[in-house]
Structures are given as C-alpha cells and as structure tokens.
C-alpha cells in the first residue's frame, strides 16, 4: 500500500464511544497543492502568501460578514457536548479534535481571540488562542478529516453544522495559498475539460457506444446512450465515474433503460459531463458557481426541457439545494417539472405510471440493504414530502428486488453514518482516516449481514460507491458487494421486445 | 449602597438590551447565501415555526442525542422560565392572573433549577469529552447561575427579605425614586450576580438564545427548487460578469 501503515479497527457488535486520546490523528495531512496552477486556476494564490497572518484574519472577517451560518455558529455553541460522540471520525480515532465541537473550536478560538470582547481581553477565560503557523497546520489537518456529512448538525440543539465551519476554514486556507491537492486539481480539471476525471469528449463517446453494444448483445434491444443531441427533452448530468468504473457504470445502464422504456428523448453533454461539484467541498461560492454554470450553458445550448441528475450525493446537494440559486433562474425549462430532478424521482414516477415492467427474480441472488448518503439524507429532498429522499430510493429498490432489509435504525435516515470518504477526502493520501471513518457503517452492515443475510449494499452516490469498493476489503468484505441502485433496476427491468431467457435457450439449441 | 445598585442595574440593563440588539442586528443583516436547512426540513413557513417551537420548548435535537444532558438542561431551563415569570411581580404592580397562579408552586422551581444546574456541572466534570471542550468560562457560568439560585432560595426559604421594599425599589429604579434596598446579604449577592449575568449576556455563549432563531440549519424553509435564494453579494457577483 502507498500510505503509511496504520491499524485497521476490528469489527465488533457495537462501536463504543471511546475515551479521549489527544493527538492520535495530528500526523495525517492530505497532500498540499504542488502545481501552483491548480490554485491560480481557481482564483487563489499559487503558494502560501507571506502575510498569511493578516490575510487569514481578513478572510475570516470577510466570510463571517457574508455567511450568517458562520457568524451564528461561531457565537452560539454552549459546549453542551451533544455532538461529541456523533462523528464517525471521532468514534474511530479517539482524537478530540475530530469531535465536531473540537473541530469547530480550532477556528472558534481564533475568532474569539481577534473578534470578540471576551477573547481580546480575557483569552484564557474563554479559551481563545493566538493565530500561529501551527494553527494553520492544525486547520489543514483536521478540516481535511471532516467529510462535511452534517451528522453532528442533526444532534446540535442549535443546528450548528460543522460542515459549514470546515468549508469556511478550507476557503480561508485556499485564500492564503494553502490548498489541498486532491480537490483543487479536480476543480481545475472541471474548469478545463468539463469533468472531474478529465475525460475528453471522444473518450466519453467511445464508452457510450460500447455500452450501446453491450446492452444490445444482452437484450436484443437498441437502447441509446445519446451524447450532445440538440433538442432532446432531458439533459442527464451524472458523475463522471458512471462512464467507466464498476459498479457506477451499471447504474448508467439502468438510467438509459429507464429513459428508453419511458419513451423520452434524452442526452448527455460533453461540456457538462460531471454532476459532482467539488467547489462545495472547498467552500468556494465562486468555484461552485462556475462549475454549476456549465450545466446551465449545456441546457441552453442543447435546448432541453428538463434536467435530471444521476446517482451522486454531494452532487445532488449542489443540484437540489444550490443550482437554482447559483445558476438559475431556469425559466427556459418545462415548468411542469422541478429543476433539477433526481434520477430516482424520475424512475419512481415511471414506476407509479406503470411504464416499467420488472422481473424481480433477476435480483433474487442478492439480499439488499441501502446506505443513505449523508448529503442526500441531511441536505436535500426528493419528491414533495420531507423524508422523500429516504423513501423514494428504497421504493425504487423494492420495485426491482424481492429481498430488502434496512440496517440498524440509528445508522440510517437522518442519522446515517458517512461512508468515510466524502467531502473531498476520497484520495489515497487520506486512506487512514477513510478506513477508520468507515467503521460505524461497516459495523451496521456487518450486523445486517450476520442477522439478516444481507449480501449487497446499494448506494446512490459515486463517492460512497468508490469509497466502499476501496475500504470494504479492509473489513474482510468484498468490493463486489457494492451496487448502484439503478444497477438493480437495470437487472430487473424487462425492456419492451427484450429477448427472454427462453428465447436464449432456443437460440442456444439452434446454434 | 442602594444608589450603587441602582446605577449598576441601569448600566446592566442598557448593556444587555443594546448589546443584544446589536447582535440581533448583525445576525439579521448577515445574508445566508445558500439554503442549508438540516433535512428532512419543513417545506413551509408554518412548518419552520413548529420546528423552532419544538427546539425552544422541548429541546428536540438535544433529546435525540443524549437523554442525560437533556433532562438536566430541560429541568434547568424550564425552572428558570417559571422563576423568571414569578419575578415579574417585582417589576409591575398589577400582576397578571397566570403569574399569580404559579406563585405557590413556582417557589419550588428554584430547587429544580439548582438540581438541573448541578447535573450539568457534574456532567462537565465527569464526561471526559465534555471536560475536554470546556473553558473556564463554561464552568463559571454554571457557578454563577448556581449562586443566583442558592441566594434566591435562601431568601425564599431561610432568611426572608423584605419583598415589598425590593418591589418598590425596582419599580422606581429608573428615576432613582425607589427608596432603599433592604441590605440583606443574600439579596446583595443575588443582585450582584444577576447584574453580572446581564452585562455578560451579549458577549458570551448566552448568545445561544438569539442564535437558535437565526440558525440557518433550523430556520430555513426547504424550498430551493421552487425559489431562488440570492444573497445581495452573490447578486453583485453575478452582475460583474
Ligand atoms: C429561548 C430560550 C433558550 C433556549 C431554547 C435554550 C436552550 C439551551 C440548550 C438546548 C442548551 C444546551 C444543553 C445544556 O448544555 O444545558 C442550553 C445551555 C445553556 N443555557 Fe440555555 N436556552 C435558552 C435560554 C437561556 C437563558 C435565558 C439562559 C441564562 C440565563 C441560559 C443559560 C444556559 C447555560 C448557562 C447553558 C450551558 C449549560 C451547560 O453548561 O451545560 N439559556 N440552552
Ligand atoms: C433584577 C432582577 C432580580 C431580582 C430583583 C430578584 C429578586 C429576588 C428576590 C427578592 C427573591 C426572593 C423571593 C422570595 O423571598 O420569595 C428571589 C428569589 C429567586 N431568584 Fe431572583 N431576582 C432577580 C433576578 C433573578 C434571575 C435572573 C434569576 C435566575 C437566573 C433569579 C433566580 C432566583 C431564584 C431561583 C430564586 C428562588 C426561588 C424563587 O423564589 O423563585 N433571580 N429573587
Ligand atoms: S460534518 Fe460529519 S465529519 Fe464533519 S464533524 Fe460533523 S459528523 Fe464529523
Ligand atoms: S452540540 Fe452544538 S452547542 Fe453543543 S457542543 Fe456541539 S456544536 Fe456546541
């Protein structure tokens, strides 16, 4: 393995709340941007500026005047401790700076020291601290050990959301030229090429042609995977992982089959070939907006009437909660549909309208459970009712599968545990925190495996899927146990005119 | 001495009222550029009012999290509320009926308040995670409130003070025409600490009171697809293009 060695926690029946042990994760830092262009392309200084002290305080002051969340959250915490045992990273690393309030305090101490009466004159009394070079390193370390999953905000009596604080801290670090390589490199790629993986148009076209052939060979039906088709009704924006990686790509096949059966015209776009938006992870409104504008421009250029997003958690947050604000108004689209829609909402509507036929037995070799992705569960909605984001994906799964069970109720829904790799941590240099942070989810999954014979974990997030395929082997599970929700749909859907197994047998006999 | 206390209370009231007003103004004027309610969230204004009501009255989120903190905290805050209602009689003449009705048992709310505070104090010392996040001021707040409670209870149950005099004094405090304050030790302590609390209110974690109502995680309507939510600075950014 590329990273330093670390102990992989063992799966137990429960994850106990550990005793505080200071400094256990202080050594872990993601790689810093090395190519200055990856900073400057995003509008940040290429490397750490000389006057980092003044610039840091200036940025903090600027952000608290532009974000009510930051200002209120820095003031309101009463140190009640309610959030302390809610973060998967604290639970598995014991490091108190990974307790949500401990993480917030790294920034709060500096805020208090320079911007509050009590901190200016009585720093010791209220725990205010000077800003030093070490403070920056601490920020860099621990604000990159937060997956911005918002689990803490569910349990805080004032809804204090550590994700907002870590976004602000990362924006401050970026603004003084102390950026994280993984996120900034990816955003630079989106700005240049149009997707996180830097896949050029022709490569996408090739992949899609290949998929058309595969589906035809398997079903005998010509399911299209259109790219840049002007005048299509729906623009599908999906995470670029869907174009090549397992199990993501099986999800893409699922969407195509659903569109095919629904009888709507649709298209992907080369310029908006990425649903993900890492601008959110680094807290940068400007970058998040720039990435979002690609979707608007593609929709205008292709003249579509609707926008649908594929399976991705943080992408759905940006799409559902921010897109209209960042890149709206979308008054040029069909007003009968919400902008944008989630692919699960779309599929659910087709199911309700009776447009899809399923042979659920195709999934009988599996017992499925569903992982609620943090961003979907705690930052978005599907359908018209609060909580639809939990119900609709489950209803889609149940329409396609006979065997479904939920994991422990304390680990799903709004209380869901993060996969451990969200928020810009999905990089090998952070493998230690990723593996450790996955423990609560792995524990709940393992219990469901033991008690209910669960064989597969379905997810609707590209990051969750990538993270699980990487970390499940550390816990003695198999990477193939992760499936896309629309992969299940794809398995079970019976296309109009599809060759049945009987046909295949006949063919075999003839041959 | 009575004049010193009168001055003290005038200053304390001014600091608290002006300080809080400025803080509230700051919160109200700071834009929330994106929709970030913790979901599932209400989709209507009325739903948001209900959500905040549940947070203020039942401490819903805290209840979800930890029953021990919740029970002590809820005891403390609800008792505090009753105690403060009971105190209204020191400041106005014609006390409303509900406040008259709670007087007899409201007297015991002081005990509940102190028990709640003691529980919170114990938790702060005993739970290592909470100990780690506590600054000296976090303990001191509990100590201040405990002493306000003790001194109040002393007056209610042990060495009574002349409540009529107190009332006269406080109804006239603004015009320095309230006459004398009874010079009882518990009352002096009680009032000194109360004045301290009022002065520190806008500079401390007691800002959780206005903070809750301004928290975007709790006070936003979940309707971003229906409505754009453009902050003024974000609009300027757009127009620059
Ligand atoms: C709208 C009214 C209020 C609400 C909803 C509210 C809510 C809360 C909640 C949920 C906590 C966290 C749990 C805990 O640690 O106890 C808390 C803590 C606290 N509250 Fe309030 N509160 C309110 C008013 C007040 C007032 C008026 C005071 C003071 C006079 C006060 C003093 C405190 C203190 C000192 C703590 C920290 C307790 C500790 O150290 O554990 N609160 N409040
Ligand atoms: C200017 C403000 C205040 C004045 C003039 C005042 C005065 C008094 C007096 C005269 C008593 C004795 C009542 C009796 O003998 O029956 C009392 C009791 C008490 N006070 Fe205060 N007080 C004030 C503010 C507060 C505050 C802010 C708190 C809480 C944080 C508080 C908590 C209590 C408690 C717990 C008791 C004992 C129980 C009760 O009689 O309700 N007081 N106060
Ligand atoms: S947002 Fe998630 S990862 Fe970050 S502190 Fe809160 S619980 Fe931990
Ligand atoms: S739950 Fe909220 S108020 Fe309590 S310690 Fe955590 S962040 Fe602070």
């Amino acid at each position: 393995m590329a990273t330093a060695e670390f102990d992989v926690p063992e799966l137990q029946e429960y994850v106990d709340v550990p005793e505080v042990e200071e400094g256990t994760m202080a050594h872990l830092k993601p790689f810093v941007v090395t190519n200055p262009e990856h900073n400057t392309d995003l509008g940040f200084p290429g490397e750490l500026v000389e006057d980092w002290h003044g610039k840091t305080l200036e940025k903090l002051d600027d952000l608290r005047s532009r974000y009510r969340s930051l200002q209120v959250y820095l003031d309101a915490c009463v140190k009640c401790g309610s959030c302390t045992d809610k973060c998967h990273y604290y639970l598995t690393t014991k490091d108190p700076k990974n307790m949500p309030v401990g993480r917030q305090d790294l920034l709060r101490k500096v805020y208090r020291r320079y911007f509050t009466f009590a901190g200016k004159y009585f720093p010791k009394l209220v725990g205010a601290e000077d800003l030093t070079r070490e403070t920056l390193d601490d920020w860099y370390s621990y604000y990159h050990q937060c997956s911005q999953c918002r689990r803490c905000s569910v349990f805080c009596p004032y809804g204090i959301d550590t994700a907002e604080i870590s976004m602000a801290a990362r924006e401050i670090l970026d603004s003084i030229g102390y950026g994280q390589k993984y996120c900034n490199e990816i955003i630079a790629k989106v700005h240049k090429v149009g997707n996180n993986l830097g896949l050029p148009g022709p490569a996408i076209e090739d992949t899609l042609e290949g998929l058309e052939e595969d589906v035809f060979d398997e079903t005998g039906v010509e399911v299209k995977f259109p790219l840049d088709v002007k005048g299509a009704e729906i623009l599908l924006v999906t995470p670029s992982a869907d174009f090549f990686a397992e199990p993501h790509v099986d999800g893409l096949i699922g969407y195509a089959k659903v569109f095919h059966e629904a009888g709507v015209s649709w298209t992907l776009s080369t310029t908006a070939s990425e649903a993900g938006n890492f601008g959110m992870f680094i807290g940068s409104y400007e970058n998040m907006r720039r990435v979002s504008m690609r979707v608007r421009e593609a929709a205008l250029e292709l003249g579509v009437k609707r926008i649908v997003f594929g399976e991705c958690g943080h992408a759905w947050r940006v799409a559902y909660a921010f897109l209209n604000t960042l890149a709206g108004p979308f008054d040029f689209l069909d007003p009968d549909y919400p902008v944008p829609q989630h692919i699960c909402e779309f599929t659910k509507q087709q199911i309700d309208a009776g447009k899809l036929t399923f042979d659920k037995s195709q999934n009988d070799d599996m017992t499925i459970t569903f992982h609620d992705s943090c961003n979907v569960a705690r930052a978005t909605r599907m359908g018209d009712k609060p909580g639809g984001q939990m119900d609709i994906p489950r209803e889609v799964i149940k329409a396609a599968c006979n065997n479904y069970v939920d994991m422990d109720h304390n680990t799903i829904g709004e209380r869901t545990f993060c996969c451990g790799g969200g928020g810009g941590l999905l990089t090998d240099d952070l493998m230690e925190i990723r593996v450790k942070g996955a423990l609560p989810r792995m524990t709940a999954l393992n219990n469901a495996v033991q008690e209910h014979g669960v064989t597969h974990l379905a997810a609707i997030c590209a990051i969750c899927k990538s993270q699980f395929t990487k970390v499940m082997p550390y816990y003695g599970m198999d990477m193939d146990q992760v499936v896309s929700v629309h992969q299940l749909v794809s398995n079970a859907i019976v296309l109009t005119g599809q060759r049945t197994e009987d046909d295949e047998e006949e063919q075999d006999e003839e041959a | 001495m009575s004049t010193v206390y009168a001055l003290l209370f005038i200053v304390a009231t001014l600091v608290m009222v002006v300080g809080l007003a400025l803080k509230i103004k700051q919160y109200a004027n700071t834009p929330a550029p994106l929709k970030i309610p913790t979901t599932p969230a209400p989709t209507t204004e009325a739903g948001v009012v209900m959500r905040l009501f549940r947070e203020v009255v039942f401490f819903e989120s805290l209840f979800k999290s930890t029953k021990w903190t919740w029970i002590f905290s809820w005891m403390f805050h609800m008792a505090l509320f009753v105690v403060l209602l009971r105190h209204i009689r020191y400041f106005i003449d014609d006390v409303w009926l509900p406040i008259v009705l709670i007087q007899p048992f409201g007297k015991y709310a002081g005990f509940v308040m102190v028990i709640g505070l003691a529980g919170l104090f114990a938790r702060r010392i005993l739970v290592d995670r909470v100990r780690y996040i506590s600054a000296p001021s976090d303990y001191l707040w509990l100590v201040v409130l405990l002493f306000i409670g003790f001194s109040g209870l002393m007056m209610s149950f042990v060495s009574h003070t002349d409540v009529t005099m107190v009332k006269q004094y406080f109804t006239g405090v603004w015009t320095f025409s309230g006459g004398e304050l009874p010079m009882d030790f518990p009352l002096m302590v009680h009032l000194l600490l109360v004045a301290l609390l009022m002065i520190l209110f806008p500079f401390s974690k007691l800002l959780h009171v206005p903070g809750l109502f301004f928290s975007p995680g709790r006070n936003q309507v979940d309707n971003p697809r229906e409505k754009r939510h453009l902050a003024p600075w974000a609009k300027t950014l757009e127009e620059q293009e």
Side-chain angles (χ1 to χ4, degrees), chain A residues 80 157-158, chain B residues 59 62 73 77 120 124 142 145 205-206 208-209:
Chain A
C80 70
Y158 323 109
Chain B
F59 298 2
L62 188 61
S73 184
H77 283 89
L120 290 172
R124 215 169 263 297
L142 293 172
L145 285 160
K205 67 177 188 179
L206 296 195
H208 68 286
V209 183

Side-chain angles (χ1 to χ4, degrees), chain A residues 18-77:
Chain A
E19 295 217 344
V20 167
E21 198 180 316
E22 283 183 48
T24 63
M25 293 307 285
H27 61 278
L28 191 71
K29 289 181 174 48
F31 295 147
V32 181
V33 169
T34 41
N35 176 355
E37 271 180 31
H38 292 151
N39 280 341
T40 49
D41 284 356
L42 277 55
F44 305 128
E47 52 192 41
L48 189 64
V49 296
E50 246 170 64
D51 178 25
W52 51 265
H53 193 274
K55 288 275 182 292
T56 297
L57 295 177
E58 212 174 277
K59 191 69 189 174
L60 175 55
D61 205 26
D62 168 51
L63 289 180
R64 76 189 181 100
S65 75
R66 288 196 287 136
Y67 289 87
R68 185 187 292 163
S69 51
L70 185 62
Q71 178 62 55
V72 171
Y73 294 166
L74 286 174
D75 280 339
C77 174

Side-chain angles (χ1 to χ4, degrees), chain B residues 6 34 53-54 63-64 72 87-88 91 94 117 124 134 153 160 173 195 204 213 224 233-234:
Chain B
L34 293 166
F53 178 84
R54 291 195 307 272
F63 184 79
K64 271 185 207 167
F72 289 126
H87 276 60
I88 289 179
F91 303 96
D94 301 306
L117 285 166
R124 215 169 263 297
S134 301
L153 288 170
H160 294 284
V173 85
S204 68
F213 298 94
W233 62 259

Side-chain angles (χ1 to χ4, degrees), chain A residues 48-64 70 106-107 110-111 114-115 130-133 135-137 139 168-169 171-178:
Chain A
L48 189 64
V49 296
E50 246 170 64
D51 178 25
W52 51 265
H53 193 274
K55 288 275 182 292
T56 297
L57 295 177
E58 212 174 277
K59 191 69 189 174
L60 175 55
D61 205 26
D62 168 51
L63 289 180
R64 76 189 181 100
L70 185 62
L106 300 174
L107 188 63
V110 172
Y111 161 71
Y114 298 93
F115 300 105
D130 288 343
L131 171 67
T132 65
R133 189 63 186 72
T135 317
L136 292 186
D137 292 339
W139 288 2
E171 187 170 13
I172 294 173
L173 289 171
D174 271 323
S175 77
I176 56 169
Y178 197 171

